[in-house]
Amino acid sequence: SELTCVCRYPVDLVVCVALGVDMFDCVYPARTARFGVALTDEGNMQLKNKKFKSDLSPIEKDCKCVTCARFTRAYLHCLASKEQTGARSLQHTATHCNTLQH
């Protein structure tokens, strides 16, 4: 098994997996989610952005995580505007990072 602690961006996970790394000790997903940012296939989604205020879609349409199944962008925007959304958006971000490793 190979371990790395240097992942700062999603692309780092993809590169490390290609190089044979199979274990990660990375704070990036948790730190990013804590500030109301969700990682998506299209890039970072700033949930505090006002354009999500009335958006009733999930973070990502085809995502199977608990957050996307239960919460809309509008709900997450409301949380992100008032408090840290770590627990809710971290579920999605962790799922997203796991899919990058396969």
Side-chain angles (χ1 to χ4, degrees):
S1 291
E2 296 292 326
L3 171 67
T4 187
C5 300
V6 297
C7 294
R8 290 184 172 89
Y9 303 100
V11 69
D12 293 341
L13 290 172
V14 175
V15 170
C16 287
V17 168
L19 294 172
V21 175
D22 56 4
M23 292 189 315
F24 299 88
D25 184 8
C26 176
V27 299
Y28 179 70
R31 185 184 65 228
T32 302
R34 187 171 55 244
F35 294 106
V37 177
L39 304 178
T40 71
D41 288 338
E42 303 298 317
N44 292 355
M45 180 180 289
Q46 303 286 337
L47 293 168
K48 292 181 181 182
N49 192 315
K50 289 182 182 182
K51 71 180 182 179
F52 299 119
K53 185 176 183 176
S54 301
D55 190 338
L56 299 179
S57 56
I59 294 173
E60 285 192 293
K61 180 182 175 189
D62 296 324
C63 181
K64 305 297 183 207
C65 78
V66 174
T67 298
C68 288
R70 294 184 182 171
F71 304 108
T72 65
R73 293 176 181 181
Y75 176 75
L76 295 170
H77 165 79
C78 182
L79 290 180
S81 299
K82 294 174 177 43
E83 61 184 56
Q84 294 178 341
T85 60
R88 302 254 194 273
S89 58
L90 178 57
Q91 290 172 333
H92 169 79
T93 298
T95 300
H96 179 75
C97 288
N98 283 336
T99 62
L100 294 176
Q101 298 176 44
H102 299 300

